[in-house]
Amino acid sequence: MFEQLKSQPSDKIMELMSQYAEDTRTNKLDLGVGVYKNAVGATPIMKAVKKSEEVLHKLQDSKSYVGLIGSIEFSRNIGELVLNNSVDKKRLSYAQAPGGTGALHQLLLLARATKSVGNVWVSNPSWPNHQAILTHLGMNSSSYYYFDEITCEVNFDRMVHDLNNMKENDILLLHGCCHNPTGANLSLEQWVDLTQLIQEKNVLPFIDLAYQGFGDGLNEDVEGLNYLIKNVEEAMIAVSCSKNFGVYRDRVGVAIVVSEASKKSVVQDNLKSLNRLTFSFPPDHGAAVVNQILEDNTLKLLWKEELEEMRMNMLDLRERLSSELHRETKSDRFSFVSAHRGMFSKLGLTSEQVEFLRKDYGIYMVSDSRINVAGLRKDVINYLASAIANVI
Ligand code: LMR
């Protein structure tokens, strides 16, 4: 039977992880997968997470099932963090899911189950798994212009030009903040304009939020999203806690649906059933850890401090890399690096240049020239900048 199977295209981020692991050079530099690293290149467990695990260790007295949609308390706490009371709670449905990817997947299943979805509009470029999941689910998609490869900024006029082709019941997939892979974000004014377009076209906004707190701050990063949610009737939000709580391998995510209050129970019922059909129960440990942090003021404060420290480190690395590139290339070509936000920046290099960096310098970035800024250390910034200057 299995001879009928075709081999699958590999995800370029995952492929890069294995290539890096196999490289025996001691000066190799991993700027690939989006994992936060500290000043010595490690990804330690956040103190708030460790302390929360200690509390759970003492308090938890059962590993029995929680429920098909996981912990509702956890989902509500995440809902508050993300939505900041921008919508009446009577209009919110939740389902805990295995990571942001799990939440994306479940929400797309929900949309598909309505049997009325047209095209799902995905930014060009986007996180590669967006398109891969859509293809896997057999859903139609279109791409919209997002990033200008020359200026390395959002080209909003061209984006709107493309989105004017959206039809009623299409879905518009947006990155809540810290756009992956580009690092180029929409301004609040642009979110306001998009909200109007979404209303005019009567399409469903679908927001992937995986980096809240990594850009301009916990609340600042969701200002655009909050404005949007305040002004639309329906929306879907896939939230990941992998990065901002550093619980990557524990798979912590939430699928949130905004609907009319009268539709809440049927939406909730469908989310529950889709969880049952896909994996039954979402994994509990990571969500319980995050919930404990959000429920306990001392732990929450500690988490916020740690998150802010990570954010400031990334900003500092951006400033340093931008000025080092300015020095090495004697140009402003890379000044966008300090204006981008979040873990990633797309540098606008060709795939050949990226390949040279890997072969000749042991520098690993995704083939579209996305770097994980958080993978940098101060002591290697000069090495990276001079290598880039040599290959361009
Ligand atoms: C990334 O984009 O590097 C992360 O979101 C990890 C992943 O799953 O691709």
Side-chain angles (χ1 to χ4, degrees), residues 54-74:
E54 280 161 23
V55 176
L56 282 187
H57 180 69
K58 288 201 191 98
L59 289 185
Q60 214 170 45
D61 51 13
S62 175
K63 289 284 184 191
S64 174
Y65 297 121
V66 175
L68 289 175
I69 53 161
S71 153
I72 192 69
E73 190 186 41
F74 157 77

PDB file of all heavy atoms in Angstrom, residues 54-74:
ATOM      1  N   GLU A  54       7.081  24.504  39.365  1.00  0.00           N
ATOM      2  CA  GLU A  54       7.251  24.071  40.759  1.00  0.00           C
ATOM      3  C   GLU A  54       5.909  24.091  41.492  1.00  0.00           C
ATOM      4  O   GLU A  54       5.571  23.172  42.232  1.00  0.00           O
ATOM      5  CB  GLU A  54       8.252  24.994  41.475  1.00  0.00           C
ATOM      6  CG  GLU A  54       9.706  24.636  41.165  1.00  0.00           C
ATOM      7  CD  GLU A  54      10.664  25.791  41.468  1.00  0.00           C
ATOM      8  OE1 GLU A  54      10.308  26.661  42.277  1.00  0.00           O
ATOM      9  OE2 GLU A  54      11.751  25.802  40.869  1.00  0.00           O
ATOM     10  N   VAL A  55       5.144  25.168  41.246  1.00  0.00           N
ATOM     11  CA  VAL A  55       3.824  25.267  41.886  1.00  0.00           C
ATOM     12  C   VAL A  55       2.946  24.108  41.430  1.00  0.00           C
ATOM     13  O   VAL A  55       2.313  23.423  42.237  1.00  0.00           O
ATOM     14  CB  VAL A  55       3.149  26.626  41.533  1.00  0.00           C
ATOM     15  CG1 VAL A  55       1.737  26.690  42.111  1.00  0.00           C
ATOM     16  CG2 VAL A  55       3.981  27.798  42.019  1.00  0.00           C
ATOM     17  N   LEU A  56       2.948  23.871  40.110  1.00  0.00           N
ATOM     18  CA  LEU A  56       2.114  22.778  39.577  1.00  0.00           C
ATOM     19  C   LEU A  56       2.523  21.435  40.163  1.00  0.00           C
ATOM     20  O   LEU A  56       1.678  20.593  40.470  1.00  0.00           O
ATOM     21  CB  LEU A  56       2.255  22.696  38.054  1.00  0.00           C
ATOM     22  CG  LEU A  56       1.492  23.702  37.204  1.00  0.00           C
ATOM     23  CD1 LEU A  56       1.632  23.331  35.737  1.00  0.00           C
ATOM     24  CD2 LEU A  56       0.017  23.725  37.581  1.00  0.00           C
ATOM     25  N   HIS A  57       3.838  21.264  40.282  1.00  0.00           N
ATOM     26  CA  HIS A  57       4.345  20.002  40.828  1.00  0.00           C
ATOM     27  C   HIS A  57       3.733  19.737  42.203  1.00  0.00           C
ATOM     28  O   HIS A  57       3.362  18.607  42.532  1.00  0.00           O
ATOM     29  CB  HIS A  57       5.878  20.082  40.918  1.00  0.00           C
ATOM     30  CG  HIS A  57       6.508  18.848  41.467  1.00  0.00           C
ATOM     31  ND1 HIS A  57       6.526  17.666  40.769  1.00  0.00           N
ATOM     32  CD2 HIS A  57       7.094  18.606  42.657  1.00  0.00           C
ATOM     33  CE1 HIS A  57       7.127  16.750  41.505  1.00  0.00           C
ATOM     34  NE2 HIS A  57       7.468  17.285  42.654  1.00  0.00           N
ATOM     35  N   LYS A  58       3.619  20.827  42.980  1.00  0.00           N
ATOM     36  CA  LYS A  58       3.048  20.664  44.332  1.00  0.00           C
ATOM     37  C   LYS A  58       1.529  20.502  44.287  1.00  0.00           C
ATOM     38  O   LYS A  58       0.967  19.708  45.018  1.00  0.00           O
ATOM     39  CB  LYS A  58       3.387  21.897  45.178  1.00  0.00           C
ATOM     40  CG  LYS A  58       4.847  21.942  45.576  1.00  0.00           C
ATOM     41  CD  LYS A  58       5.040  22.844  46.798  1.00  0.00           C
ATOM     42  CE  LYS A  58       6.524  23.081  47.009  1.00  0.00           C
ATOM     43  NZ  LYS A  58       6.957  24.367  46.442  1.00  0.00           N
ATOM     44  N   LEU A  59       0.880  21.311  43.426  1.00  0.00           N
ATOM     45  CA  LEU A  59      -0.588  21.355  43.460  1.00  0.00           C
ATOM     46  C   LEU A  59      -1.289  20.260  42.668  1.00  0.00           C
ATOM     47  O   LEU A  59      -2.335  19.777  43.052  1.00  0.00           O
ATOM     48  CB  LEU A  59      -1.081  22.701  42.909  1.00  0.00           C
ATOM     49  CG  LEU A  59      -0.850  23.946  43.752  1.00  0.00           C
ATOM     50  CD1 LEU A  59      -1.513  25.148  43.085  1.00  0.00           C
ATOM     51  CD2 LEU A  59      -1.434  23.741  45.158  1.00  0.00           C
ATOM     52  N   GLN A  60      -0.675  19.900  41.524  1.00  0.00           N
ATOM     53  CA  GLN A  60      -1.400  19.009  40.619  1.00  0.00           C
ATOM     54  C   GLN A  60      -1.515  17.601  41.200  1.00  0.00           C
ATOM     55  O   GLN A  60      -0.505  17.018  41.581  1.00  0.00           O
ATOM     56  CB  GLN A  60      -0.664  18.959  39.280  1.00  0.00           C
ATOM     57  CG  GLN A  60      -1.584  18.802  38.113  1.00  0.00           C
ATOM     58  CD  GLN A  60      -0.858  18.988  36.793  1.00  0.00           C
ATOM     59  OE1 GLN A  60       0.233  18.450  36.606  1.00  0.00           O
ATOM     60  NE2 GLN A  60      -1.446  19.741  35.893  1.00  0.00           N
ATOM     61  N   ASP A  61      -2.740  17.093  41.269  1.00  0.00           N
ATOM     62  CA  ASP A  61      -2.883  15.770  41.876  1.00  0.00           C
ATOM     63  C   ASP A  61      -3.501  14.755  40.923  1.00  0.00           C
ATOM     64  O   ASP A  61      -3.901  13.665  41.324  1.00  0.00           O
ATOM     65  CB  ASP A  61      -3.700  15.856  43.178  1.00  0.00           C
ATOM     66  CG  ASP A  61      -5.004  16.603  42.961  1.00  0.00           C
ATOM     67  OD1 ASP A  61      -5.360  16.822  41.777  1.00  0.00           O
ATOM     68  OD2 ASP A  61      -5.654  16.977  43.945  1.00  0.00           O
ATOM     69  N   SER A  62      -3.620  15.133  39.642  1.00  0.00           N
ATOM     70  CA  SER A  62      -4.177  14.175  38.688  1.00  0.00           C
ATOM     71  C   SER A  62      -3.694  14.498  37.283  1.00  0.00           C
ATOM     72  O   SER A  62      -3.406  15.659  36.962  1.00  0.00           O
ATOM     73  CB  SER A  62      -5.703  14.260  38.722  1.00  0.00           C
ATOM     74  OG  SER A  62      -6.245  13.426  37.720  1.00  0.00           O
ATOM     75  N   LYS A  63      -3.580  13.472  36.478  1.00  0.00           N
ATOM     76  CA  LYS A  63      -3.271  13.662  35.060  1.00  0.00           C
ATOM     77  C   LYS A  63      -4.457  13.191  34.214  1.00  0.00           C
ATOM     78  O   LYS A  63      -4.309  12.884  33.033  1.00  0.00           O
ATOM     79  CB  LYS A  63      -1.997  12.888  34.661  1.00  0.00           C
ATOM     80  CG  LYS A  63      -0.711  13.461  35.217  1.00  0.00           C
ATOM     81  CD  LYS A  63      -0.277  14.712  34.465  1.00  0.00           C
ATOM     82  CE  LYS A  63       1.074  15.215  34.987  1.00  0.00           C
ATOM     83  NZ  LYS A  63       1.385  16.558  34.447  1.00  0.00           N
ATOM     84  N   SER A  64      -5.594  13.131  34.836  1.00  0.00           N
ATOM     85  CA  SER A  64      -6.788  12.731  34.093  1.00  0.00           C
ATOM     86  C   SER A  64      -7.135  13.809  33.053  1.00  0.00           C
ATOM     87  O   SER A  64      -6.616  14.917  33.087  1.00  0.00           O
ATOM     88  CB  SER A  64      -7.940  12.552  35.091  1.00  0.00           C
ATOM     89  OG  SER A  64      -9.125  12.311  34.371  1.00  0.00           O
ATOM     90  N   TYR A  65      -8.030  13.512  32.134  1.00  0.00           N
ATOM     91  CA  TYR A  65      -8.385  14.462  31.070  1.00  0.00           C
ATOM     92  C   TYR A  65      -8.948  15.761  31.633  1.00  0.00           C
ATOM     93  O   TYR A  65      -9.624  15.750  32.658  1.00  0.00           O
ATOM     94  CB  TYR A  65      -9.445  13.849  30.155  1.00  0.00           C
ATOM     95  CG  TYR A  65      -8.992  12.613  29.430  1.00  0.00           C
ATOM     96  CD1 TYR A  65      -9.668  11.408  29.588  1.00  0.00           C
ATOM     97  CD2 TYR A  65      -7.898  12.663  28.571  1.00  0.00           C
ATOM     98  CE1 TYR A  65      -9.258  10.272  28.910  1.00  0.00           C
ATOM     99  CE2 TYR A  65      -7.488  11.529  27.891  1.00  0.00           C
ATOM    100  CZ  TYR A  65      -8.168  10.337  28.066  1.00  0.00           C
ATOM    101  OH  TYR A  65      -7.781   9.213  27.397  1.00  0.00           O
ATOM    102  N   VAL A  66      -8.687  16.848  30.913  1.00  0.00           N
ATOM    103  CA  VAL A  66      -9.271  18.132  31.312  1.00  0.00           C
ATOM    104  C   VAL A  66     -10.596  18.341  30.583  1.00  0.00           C
ATOM    105  O   VAL A  66     -11.632  18.578  31.202  1.00  0.00           O
ATOM    106  CB  VAL A  66      -8.293  19.298  31.026  1.00  0.00           C
ATOM    107  CG1 VAL A  66      -8.946  20.642  31.330  1.00  0.00           C
ATOM    108  CG2 VAL A  66      -7.020  19.135  31.845  1.00  0.00           C
ATOM    109  N   GLY A  67     -10.567  18.241  29.272  1.00  0.00           N
ATOM    110  CA  GLY A  67     -11.785  18.456  28.478  1.00  0.00           C
ATOM    111  C   GLY A  67     -11.391  18.630  27.029  1.00  0.00           C
ATOM    112  O   GLY A  67     -10.224  18.917  26.734  1.00  0.00           O
ATOM    113  N   LEU A  68     -12.329  18.466  26.138  1.00  0.00           N
ATOM    114  CA  LEU A  68     -11.980  18.504  24.709  1.00  0.00           C
ATOM    115  C   LEU A  68     -11.442  19.856  24.262  1.00  0.00           C
ATOM    116  O   LEU A  68     -10.619  19.929  23.348  1.00  0.00           O
ATOM    117  CB  LEU A  68     -13.196  18.119  23.853  1.00  0.00           C
ATOM    118  CG  LEU A  68     -13.599  16.654  23.924  1.00  0.00           C
ATOM    119  CD1 LEU A  68     -14.880  16.425  23.138  1.00  0.00           C
ATOM    120  CD2 LEU A  68     -12.482  15.761  23.387  1.00  0.00           C
ATOM    121  N   ILE A  69     -11.902  20.924  24.888  1.00  0.00           N
ATOM    122  CA  ILE A  69     -11.347  22.228  24.485  1.00  0.00           C
ATOM    123  C   ILE A  69     -10.290  22.697  25.480  1.00  0.00           C
ATOM    124  O   ILE A  69      -9.884  23.857  25.482  1.00  0.00           O
ATOM    125  CB  ILE A  69     -12.448  23.303  24.301  1.00  0.00           C
ATOM    126  CG1 ILE A  69     -13.318  23.405  25.541  1.00  0.00           C
ATOM    127  CG2 ILE A  69     -13.267  23.053  23.051  1.00  0.00           C
ATOM    128  CD1 ILE A  69     -14.091  24.709  25.614  1.00  0.00           C
ATOM    129  N   GLY A  70      -9.809  21.783  26.295  1.00  0.00           N
ATOM    130  CA  GLY A  70      -8.737  22.127  27.238  1.00  0.00           C
ATOM    131  C   GLY A  70      -9.267  22.952  28.393  1.00  0.00           C
ATOM    132  O   GLY A  70     -10.445  22.867  28.747  1.00  0.00           O
ATOM    133  N   SER A  71      -8.367  23.778  28.958  1.00  0.00           N
ATOM    134  CA  SER A  71      -8.747  24.577  30.118  1.00  0.00           C
ATOM    135  C   SER A  71      -9.377  25.883  29.663  1.00  0.00           C
ATOM    136  O   SER A  71      -8.718  26.711  29.029  1.00  0.00           O
ATOM    137  CB  SER A  71      -7.504  24.868  30.970  1.00  0.00           C
ATOM    138  OG  SER A  71      -7.679  26.059  31.684  1.00  0.00           O
ATOM    139  N   ILE A  72     -10.624  26.083  30.010  1.00  0.00           N
ATOM    140  CA  ILE A  72     -11.323  27.299  29.586  1.00  0.00           C
ATOM    141  C   ILE A  72     -10.740  28.516  30.316  1.00  0.00           C
ATOM    142  O   ILE A  72     -10.669  29.615  29.768  1.00  0.00           O
ATOM    143  CB  ILE A  72     -12.856  27.160  29.740  1.00  0.00           C
ATOM    144  CG1 ILE A  72     -13.583  28.295  29.035  1.00  0.00           C
ATOM    145  CG2 ILE A  72     -13.320  27.015  31.147  1.00  0.00           C
ATOM    146  CD1 ILE A  72     -13.497  28.272  27.549  1.00  0.00           C
ATOM    147  N   GLU A  73     -10.278  28.295  31.549  1.00  0.00           N
ATOM    148  CA  GLU A  73      -9.660  29.394  32.312  1.00  0.00           C
ATOM    149  C   GLU A  73      -8.400  29.887  31.597  1.00  0.00           C
ATOM    150  O   GLU A  73      -8.185  31.091  31.424  1.00  0.00           O
ATOM    151  CB  GLU A  73      -9.318  28.884  33.710  1.00  0.00           C
ATOM    152  CG  GLU A  73      -8.904  29.978  34.659  1.00  0.00           C
ATOM    153  CD  GLU A  73      -8.442  29.419  35.999  1.00  0.00           C
ATOM    154  OE1 GLU A  73      -7.734  28.388  36.013  1.00  0.00           O
ATOM    155  OE2 GLU A  73      -8.790  30.033  37.019  1.00  0.00           O
ATOM    156  N   PHE A  74      -7.587  28.943  31.140  1.00  0.00           N
ATOM    157  CA  PHE A  74      -6.379  29.305  30.387  1.00  0.00           C
ATOM    158  C   PHE A  74      -6.745  30.090  29.125  1.00  0.00           C
ATOM    159  O   PHE A  74      -6.196  31.150  28.840  1.00  0.00           O
ATOM    160  CB  PHE A  74      -5.590  28.030  30.026  1.00  0.00           C
ATOM    161  CG  PHE A  74      -4.679  28.189  28.849  1.00  0.00           C
ATOM    162  CD1 PHE A  74      -3.465  28.851  28.980  1.00  0.00           C
ATOM    163  CD2 PHE A  74      -5.034  27.700  27.590  1.00  0.00           C
ATOM    164  CE1 PHE A  74      -2.622  29.029  27.881  1.00  0.00           C
ATOM    165  CE2 PHE A  74      -4.206  27.864  26.500  1.00  0.00           C
ATOM    166  CZ  PHE A  74      -2.992  28.525  26.641  1.00  0.00           C
TER     167      PHE A  74
END
